[in-house]
Amino acid sequence: MTVLATNFLPFSRALIEEDEINAVVEVLRSGWLTTGPRVREFEAAFAKYIGSEHAVALSSCTAALNLALAAIGIGEAEEVILPTMTFASTAEVVLYFKARPVLVDCAPGTFHIDPQQIERAITSRTKAIIPVHYAGHACDMDAILDIAQRHGLKIVDDAAHALPALHRGKMVGTLADITCFSFYATKTMTTGEGGMITTANQEYAERIRMLSLHGISKDAWKRYTAEGSWRYDILEMGYKYNLTDMQAAIGIAQLAKCDRMCARRNALAARYSAALRELEAFKLPVVPEGLSHAWHLYVIEANSAYLCIDRDRVIEELKLRGIGTSVHFIPLHRHTLYQGLGYRRGQFPYAEERFQGAISLPLFAAMSDEESDRVIEALHDIASKFKR
Ligand SMILES: *Cc1c(COP(=O)(O)O)cnc(C)c1O
């Protein structure tokens, strides 16, 4: 088969403008490249934006999740409850501690973790819950916070998709004990690679900062500045998880346009919803009331009752029409690593059901109306061509 479209519309493309470029050049010219004044400025701006007491910049959201679990003191053989419908990071960080990721199914008809099943998964070894605010809107946090409180569990939010997102008027980033954000290239704002934790707990923030630079005593990064001293003390085993000033410079510029980018994604999502509403071939995302949506992902589901082709083939057909997509996610329990831990296919029927039809459409702030029209036209074309 031939590829019909000449210009390929990618699943995601970062919105990088002159301010990001100039900010990086400025850092390069300054002579100070790694963690320094730009990182501190980025953290302060981020904490203010979220409305959290503390923010610590890190090299990725995976690093953030790892250090969040270190801060709350996960120990060997303890259990952490998290959704099977998530990316590798959410669970692998639990394995770093020789602890057990306890996977839980989606709530019926949704991509979000089911609070009832969280409660059923709790044992005497359970230490924490990691909710994933899938696609960009918050989980049922009233229920999850209530469960955590009743059972004395910590909550570490995986908010890789949820910047910015309000849950009943409160920012994601202020709800959990520690919240982890991602600035990976495809996320709602980016530093290329990068992450951030927010917390109201000063001890957690200080410990995460210390662990992010080899477990070295406070403000280790200052040791090469005029204020610093060559003396340092390694307090405990740490990691190399710091963000650079070059990345932070991009982050400061991106954060300044975070609301504008979010408004654009909201407009594009509304465009998709309006134009695809009458297509029976695809189920559209449903957003619960009382939540704002970061719209990191716009996930439709191929509806086999109205299509004679499956999801994989729909993705191929979109590709032939020059449209990039993705699938979020192959549930963790379907992967070799987790089957080795005793999970098996079919174990989480709602996640399987969602996975079977899921297609993430292109949705990014730099996307034009014309580009979204191409996606809409292609889906209409596929729906009529392959009507069951
Ligand atoms: C992207 C993503 C991560 C990992 O983020 P990095 O910054 O790449 O480490 C974690 N969890 C979820 C749900 C993600 O989508």
Side-chain angles (χ1 to χ4, degrees):
M1 278 196 273
T2 51
V3 174
L4 303 174
T6 48
N7 57 334
F8 189 77
L9 173 64
F11 164 69
S12 175
R13 186 173 71 228
L15 178 68
I16 297 295
E17 299 171 312
E18 287 307 305
D19 43 347
E20 283 87 355
I21 293 166
N22 292 335
V24 172
V25 170
E26 203 177 295
V27 170
L28 291 172
R29 290 194 199 288
S30 79
W32 186 275
L33 306 186
T34 187
T35 311
R38 291 285 89 80
V39 168
R40 295 299 165 256
E41 187 186 334
F42 183 32
E43 288 173 342
F46 197 85
K48 187 165 177 238
Y49 181 76
I50 296 294
S52 69
E53 299 286 316
H54 308 278
V56 181
L58 298 159
S59 53
S60 69
C61 182
T62 308
L65 289 162
N66 182 0
L67 296 190
L69 294 186
I72 64 170
I74 292 289
E76 231 173 282
E78 288 185 322
E79 295 175 352
V80 179
I81 297 173
L82 56 105
T84 187
M85 184 56 83
T86 188
F87 186 57
S89 313
T90 322
E92 83 183 337
V93 294
V94 177
L95 296 174
Y96 292 172
F97 295 88
K98 297 187 164 59
R100 181 168 175 82
V102 175
L103 306 181
V104 159
D105 206 353
C106 303
T110 84
F111 286 83
H112 287 69
I113 193 167
D114 183 352
Q116 287 184 20
Q117 298 203 51
I118 291 177
E119 189 132 31
R120 265 181 252 138
I122 292 171
T123 72
S124 59
R125 291 180 301 279
T126 309
K127 178 90 180 192
I129 306 167
I130 312 181
V132 175
H133 304 304
Y134 180 93
H137 78 70
C139 295
D140 183 354
M141 289 306 283
D142 290 339
I144 294 170
L145 286 161
D146 176 60
I147 291 168
Q149 191 165 33
R150 279 189 286 108
H151 295 271
L153 307 176
K154 301 288 183 207
I155 299 182
V156 172
D157 267 354
D158 181 339
H161 299 183
L163 179 69
L166 289 164
H167 177 267
R168 308 199 195 295
K170 286 174 92 177
M171 268 303 240
V172 168
T174 64
L175 305 165
D177 292 285
I178 304 173
T179 304
C180 304
F181 294 94
S182 174
F183 309 131
Y184 180 67
T186 61
K187 298 285 157 68
T188 59
M189 66 162 264
T190 187
T191 59
E193 298 279 357
M196 187 82 78
I197 66 97
T198 59
T199 181
N201 184 315
Q202 185 169 347
E203 267 175 51
Y204 289 163
E206 282 174 4
R207 190 163 154 71
I208 287 168
R209 189 181 296 292
M210 184 264 294
L211 290 174
S212 76
L213 258 182
H214 309 295
I216 289 175
S217 50
K218 232 168 96 176
D219 283 340
W221 66 275
K222 278 190 185 158
R223 71 190 187 283
Y224 295 116
T225 70
E227 292 167 74
S229 143
W230 58 268
R231 246 176 231 293
Y232 61 89
D233 185 24
I234 302 165
L235 301 173
E236 60 180 301
M237 182 196 80
Y239 304 81
K240 186 71 197 293
Y241 281 169
N242 56 308
L243 196 77
T244 69
D245 262 21
M246 292 172 290
Q247 293 166 308
I250 303 172
I252 292 163
Q254 288 270 296
L255 187 62
K257 59 184 75 162
C258 196
D259 287 339
R260 167 162 72 90
M261 293 195 293
C262 183
R264 181 61 189 150
R265 287 191 308 274
N266 268 268
L268 288 162
R271 231 166 172 282
Y272 275 151
S273 293
L276 301 173
R277 185 160 293 140
E278 74 272 32
L279 284 188
E280 289 166 317
F282 302 107
K283 281 189 242 168
L284 303 187
V286 188
V287 187
E289 285 187 24
L291 308 180
S292 79
H293 203 321
W295 285 113
H296 166 52
L297 301 176
Y298 192 96
V299 180
I300 61 170
E301 290 174 67
N303 188 346
S304 56
Y306 296 92
L307 275 175
C308 63
I309 55 173
D310 65 3
R311 182 270 315 273
D312 296 10
R313 183 72 194 283
V314 173
I315 287 177
E316 284 307 307
E317 290 294 327
L318 284 165
K319 204 170 178 180
L320 283 172
R321 288 161 179 79
I323 291 160
T325 55
S326 190
V327 173
H328 298 87
F329 296 93
I330 303 169
L332 291 178
H333 70 276
R334 291 176 66 103
H335 293 275
T336 305
L337 172 63
Y338 294 93
Q339 303 214 333
L341 295 175
Y343 291 104
R344 49 192 164 67
R345 274 191 178 212
Q347 189 173 355
F348 301 110
Y350 293 114
E352 298 273 351
E353 198 178 282
R354 298 283 77 71
F355 167 63
Q356 228 174 33
I359 305 167
S360 302
L361 301 182
L363 179 70
F364 48 90
M367 191 174 176
S368 67
D369 285 355
E370 292 69 33
E371 287 173 321
S372 83
D373 285 342
R374 274 180 54 196
V375 180
I376 290 162
E377 277 164 33
L379 288 169
H380 276 270
D381 186 36
I382 291 165
S384 71
K385 192 166 169 191
F386 300 102
K387 196 180 168 81
R388 182 180 288 284

